[in-house]
Structures are given as C-alpha cells and as structure tokens.
C-alpha cells in the first residue's frame, strides 16, 4: 500500500462538524464549475471516503522547515472542508467569498483555516486546469509558505501534531 493510500484510509477523525453529504460526480462537476478550477484527483479520492470534517489526530499537522505564527515546525490541519451546502457548514464552495473577505491572492481553493491562517490549493502558477500546489497563508503576518507541490505530496507528508511538538515545551499537545 502506498503512503497516500495509508493516509486516505485513516484520514478522517471523530465527529460530524463540517461533514457534507456524500460526494457524487454531479456535485464535483458543479463545484468545479462554481470554483472555476479542476480539483485534484487525490483530493476527490479523500473526499469520497468522507466529504469533509475533522482530521484524525495522526494526520493533523504538516511539518515545516521554518517557523510559522502557529508553531516552530508545523502548521495545523485539524479539519478539512468538504464540498456542499449542508447546514451552513464551511465548504470548499465558500472559497471565493473567503478569499475576497480575507484579501487572499487568487485563484485559491481553501481547504482548512480560521480566517487568520489558511491551507489552500494554489492555482496561481499552474492555472485553473493544472495541478495546484498547497500553500499556507497567514493573513495577520501577510506571509505565505509553500507546503507541497501538489495535494498528494501534501497528504503524504502529514503527521501527528503531538509528534512535532517543540521539545522546549512552547507548543503544548492538546
């Protein structure tokens, strides 16, 4: 089994907040039309397992080589948005509004974030039909950090935040 398949099989955590109805081909086509981009096949594979929600603790962080406003050595991925309009829960379909609201560059599809920091599919280099990279955006510090060349590479590098906590105790596991 490849690393991607291993992560995909255990990607989702407990809880239903943010979970959208099961993904269908029609929903994907409509989402791509609304977003104006082609979504990565690897993202759709994970969203077909479950369409958004909490990420399992074993995959809830992406290690970084440089400090961020979040941590000395990682960015969080506590949850990931799905595709849909269920119970006013956040969705990838909200990306256009949120990109404008938070003055982010475009075109992006936001995967996870709280307004101050985001993890996004970044289509600025590849174009709307290309394979987007994954980038961390910190609105408060006006910084961005490239994380991975594509979504599959991003998923394959995920780790448990608890395993990345700073040894000096400045970031506590919770």
């Amino acid at each position: 089994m490849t690393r991607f398949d291993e992560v995909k099989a255990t990607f989702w955590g407990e809880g239903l907040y943010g979970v959208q109805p099961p993904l269908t081909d029609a929903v994907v086509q409509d989402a791509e039309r609304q977003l104006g981009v082609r979504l990565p096949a690897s993202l759709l594979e994970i969203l077909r397992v479950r369409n958004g929600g909490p990420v399992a603790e074993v995959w809830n962080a992406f290690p970084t080589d440089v400090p961020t406003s979040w941590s000395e050595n990682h960015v969080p991925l506590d949850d990931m948005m799905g595709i849909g309009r269920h119970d006013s829960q956040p969705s990838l379909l909200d990306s256009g509004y949120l990109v404008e609201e938070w003055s982010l560059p475009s075109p992006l599809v936001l995967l996870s974030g709280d307004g101050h920091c985001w993890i996004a599919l970044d289509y600025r280099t590849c174009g709307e039909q290309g394979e987007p990279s994954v980038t961390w955006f910190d609105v408060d510090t006006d910084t961005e950090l490239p994380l991975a060349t594509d979504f599959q590479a991003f998923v394959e590098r995920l780790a448990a935040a608890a395993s990345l906590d700073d040894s000096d105790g400045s970031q506590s596991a919770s």
Side-chain angles (χ1 to χ4, degrees):
M1 184 179 276
T2 67
R3 170 87 171 151
F4 178 80
D5 290 334
E6 289 174 23
V7 177
K8 180 178 78 170
T10 57
F11 184 78
W12 298 108
E14 300 295 320
L16 297 177
Y17 182 77
V19 178
Q20 301 288 339
L23 203 58
T24 65
D25 290 343
V27 168
V28 170
Q29 290 170 355
D30 187 54
E32 290 181 331
R33 183 188 53 73
Q34 286 183 51
L35 295 166
V37 299
R38 184 184 54 78
L39 295 169
S42 54
L43 170 65
L44 297 175
E45 279 187 54
I46 285 179
L47 293 179
R48 287 186 193 284
V49 174
R50 188 168 85 185
N51 192 6
V55 173
E57 287 185 17
V58 70
W59 309 120
N60 67 354
F62 186 90
T64 61
D65 295 329
V66 298
T68 68
S69 60
W70 180 260
S71 167
E72 288 296 312
N73 63 4
H74 70 275
V75 296
L77 183 68
D78 295 324
D79 54 65
M80 191 169 78
M81 293 187 275
I83 300 171
R85 294 280 183 215
H86 182 67
D87 291 343
S88 301
Q89 294 182 17
S91 165
L92 298 182
L93 299 177
D94 297 319
S95 292
Y97 163 76
L98 292 168
V99 162
E100 185 175 326
E101 176 75 18
W102 291 96
S103 300
L104 294 165
S106 187
L108 300 178
V109 173
L110 304 177
L111 299 173
S112 182
D114 65 0
H116 301 281
C117 299
W118 298 97
I119 294 174
L121 297 174
D122 189 344
Y123 288 85
R124 291 177 294 174
T125 300
C126 69
E128 296 162 346
Q129 298 305 309
E131 188 70 26
S133 59
V134 179
T135 305
W136 162 264
F137 294 90
D138 187 321
V139 174
D140 294 338
T141 62
D142 194 29
T143 58
E144 59 184 76
L145 175 64
L147 299 176
T149 56
D150 58 46
F151 184 76
Q152 183 170 330
F154 172 77
V155 168
E156 289 176 344
R157 287 201 51 214
L158 290 172
S163 72
L164 300 171
D165 287 339
D166 300 312
S167 57
D168 66 3
S170 63
Q171 176 76 23
S172 62
S174 47

